[in-house]
Amino acid sequence: MNSLTPNVIIDPPTTLICKIAVVGSGPGGAITACLLAEAGENVLLIEEGSFWPLESCEPFSPAEMIQKYRHGGLTAAFGKPKIQYVEGCCVGGGSEINSALYHRTPAEILERWRRDFAVDGLTEKDLLPHFTACETAVQVCSLPGKAPIASLKLHEGATRLGWESLEVPRWFQYQAQTDGTTSPQGTRQSMTKTFIPRALAAGCQLLTNTRIHRISQQGKQWLLKGEFTGSDQPRKLIEISAENLFICCGAIQTPALLRRSGITHNIGNSLQVHPTVKIIAQFPEAVNSLDMGVPVHQVKEFSPEFSLGCSISSPPYLAVAMTDHPQYRSIIHDSWENMAVYYAMITGEGQGTVRNLPIYRDPWVQYPLTQSDLELLSKALKKLAMALFEAGATYLYPSITKTQRLMHSGKVDQISIDQIPTVLPPDRTNLMTVHLFSSCPMGENQQYCATDSFGKVHGFDHLYIADASLLCTAPGVNPQGSIMAIARRNALKFLGRL
Ligand SMILES: Cc1cc2nc3c(=O)[nH]c(=O)nc-3n(C[C@H](O)[C@H](O)[C@H](O)COP(=O)(O)OP(=O)(O)OC[C@H]3O[C@@H](n4cnc5c(N)ncnc54)[C@H](O)[C@@H]3O)c2cc1C
């Protein structure tokens, strides 16, 4: 499939009419558009970014950041400390650039959402058919061979300490079974590989390079005003008229678009993320290689409070992670094969806001961490350091500036680990996240919720949200599994087929 596929609109007219408009083509939007089109509805899927085939660049490369990330990944939520976050901006959204690690929503999280937000129809049993259908569609599976050594190192260290550590399944189509000695290669089953081709085959039309600026109600229709910026076409303003409108722009851009349009009740007041702190571990032996692939192990012993894992660790990623320790930068050049990046990711209690500022195109995102978030980050970082030392790491470089590297000198080097402050210093800690949600929570509790239990915006007819914004709180696990299942459930509810 490419941008020449019939149903991809190359040169749009300035006005378009459809029955259902879906804005944003990440997992939420792609699944919504696909199911509605397959049910015979007239659907137009609108995406701000370009249509790049999955293979258009190396996964996790600088070229991918330029092509498919919003602002090349240089986006931050303000607070103390700032949290650098990343959003996809291309057909398929975040599914085109992510690590494809899959979890179902944990049962205790669903229970909390039902209890605190009064979400109907959200038991494990209710969601089961949606989990299984999405798992089949995107081919969720375990690695058919050996995991990367760096990933196994964390697993080894955690297991020796008696902690629960598991291999996380991925949405991936692997090449033929390997002999078990090398990491298997394959293709991420992103939205451009799965739900978007299905949607187009079912007659959905796709309008790319079009950012929707505002929406408004004109009688029984929704009017969308946007701008088309195709590279070999003149820029043009576009108006789209739709009977039903689904906003699926992700947890930052959905509240930003709704607020720009004057829709503000419980919109953009409760953003949550998984604040994440990183550490580089250096081992005496090689743990990294240019074809290392995606690490798959996560330590779940302390979940839902926090999880530990291994990140993409190619030399450019190691170099970025080492910016907190400039005096050791040359070690990456000499010893990158012995090094890998690890993370500790918390389910914090902070809540952020998404607001628009006059004149500026991008929203202003704030995310204040609480004192207990900073304590929990420290606790998680210490546990990560323990597991890595237990696995044989000799040096650890935490993402805290003006701090010493930690050195292994005993079995588990408690003295060295105690160098990590019990509250991470807000002015010196570098945090990031790739998990954003909860900015427009769903549920019948109108004190907190932006939409009803199935994504219909409270107080508005024919207006829905279907993306990460709906998750009532941080799920404590990689979120795309939850987003996909909830999008499927809500699309079937809209069709009266639940
Ligand atoms: C680097 C990275 C790694 C990740 N790893 C994992 C992982 O391993 N497992 C996991 O479960 N999750 C992972 N995630 C998170 C996951 O990708 C996201 O949670 C998911 O993509 C969110 O889906 P969504 O539909 O809410 O929004 P998005 O995927 O963000 O899609 C929203 C789309 O809307 C478009 N859009 C925004 N505003 C407008 C507008 N005004 N007009 C038109 N279009 C607009 C955007 O361009 C974008 O394409 C990762 C994310 C990143 C960035």
Side-chain angles (χ1 to χ4, degrees), residues 23-29 46-49 69-70 86-90 92-95 97-101 171 210-212 248-251 253 257 260 434-436 466-468 478-481 483:
V23 186
S25 65
I46 305 149
E47 167 58 48
E48 177 177 353
Y69 285 36
R70 184 174 293 276
V86 176
E87 295 171 282
C89 186
C90 55
S95 77
I97 58 175
N98 67 26
S99 300
L101 297 172
W171 47 91
T210 302
R211 175 178 155 97
I212 300 300
C248 314
C249 302
Q253 305 301 328
L257 170 57
R260 280 199 299 274
V434 291
H435 297 166
L436 306 146
D467 63 20
N478 304 63
Q480 191 179 310
I483 297 163

Side-chain angles (χ1 to χ4, degrees), residues 18 42 60 84 105 111 115 125 143 161 195 225 284 287 290 321 372 421 429-430 457 465 481 488 494:
C18 59
N42 169 257
F60 311 111
Q84 189 234 324
T105 326
E111 192 196 325
R115 186 190 62 224
K125 195 170 159 220
L143 266 180
L161 290 165
F195 284 97
K225 291 191 175 186
V287 296
L290 288 178
S372 41
T429 305
N430 284 309
V457 178
I465 296 174
R488 183 176 189 276
F494 173 86

Side-chain angles (χ1 to χ4, degrees), residues 264-490:
T264 57
H265 182 63
N266 293 334
I267 303 281
N269 299 342
S270 52
L271 174 74
Q272 294 219 303
V273 306
H274 287 147
T276 302
V277 60
K278 293 204 167 175
I279 213 166
I280 295 179
Q282 187 178 347
F283 292 89
E285 71 277 21
V287 296
N288 199 347
S289 61
L290 288 178
D291 62 353
M292 167 171 147
V294 174
V296 286
H297 288 93
Q298 278 181 352
V299 178
K300 283 287 171 193
E301 177 72 16
F302 312 99
S303 175
E305 264 197 316
F306 60 85
S307 307
L308 313 175
C310 181
S311 292
I312 302 298
S313 300
S314 59
Y317 277 74
L318 280 166
V320 170
M322 197 56 114
T323 47
D324 298 303
H325 301 274
Q327 68 274 37
Y328 298 119
R329 254 195 323 237
S330 60
I331 297 182
I332 305 249
H333 185 261
D334 302 334
S335 308
W336 68 269
E337 284 170 311
N338 294 14
M339 304 171 96
V341 185
Y342 295 86
Y343 64 84
M345 163 182 108
I346 66 162
T347 307
E349 56 174 32
Q351 282 202 333
T353 52
V354 179
R355 293 289 182 267
N356 296 295
L357 298 175
I359 315 171
Y360 290 96
R361 182 183 161 99
D362 291 314
W364 168 254
V365 180
Q366 280 187 298
Y367 189 91
L369 284 147
T370 65
Q371 174 82 3
S372 41
D373 287 341
L374 290 167
E375 283 169 18
L376 187 57
L377 278 162
S378 163
K379 184 172 157 193
L381 190 61
K382 287 182 182 189
K383 295 286 187 202
L384 178 60
M386 276 174 79
L388 293 170
F389 278 147
E390 186 68 47
T394 39
Y395 295 106
L396 300 178
Y397 307 80
S399 55
I400 305 173
T401 46
K402 297 190 197 143
T403 194
Q404 289 299 309
R405 64 180 179 180
L406 310 178
M407 202 169 70
H408 188 247
S409 60
K411 189 167 184 284
V412 171
D413 194 344
Q414 195 56 44
I415 296 174
S416 183
I417 289 171
D418 283 344
Q419 279 173 236
I420 299 174
T422 45
V423 179
L424 290 194
D427 49 341
R428 290 190 289 118
T429 305
N430 284 309
L431 299 180
M432 56 81 61
T433 190
V434 291
H435 297 166
L436 306 146
F437 16 72
S438 315
S439 50
C440 309
M442 62 183 168
E444 307 305 324
N445 181 340
Q446 296 212 19
Q447 194 186 342
Y448 308 119
C449 298
T451 77
D452 73 7
S453 300
F454 296 91
K456 181 179 164 298
V457 178
H458 284 304
F460 290 86
D461 288 333
H462 308 289
L463 178 63
Y464 302 83
I465 296 174
D467 63 20
S469 322
L470 291 181
L471 309 193
C472 301
T473 62
V477 293
N478 304 63
Q480 191 179 310
S482 306
I483 297 163
M484 293 192 296
I486 291 169
R488 183 176 189 276
R489 158 190 178 268
N490 294 1

Side-chain angles (χ1 to χ4, degrees), residues 65-66 69-76 84-87:
M65 290 178 191
I66 292 165
Y69 285 36
R70 184 174 293 276
H71 304 313
L74 295 176
T75 31
Q84 189 234 324
Y85 68 84
V86 176
E87 295 171 282

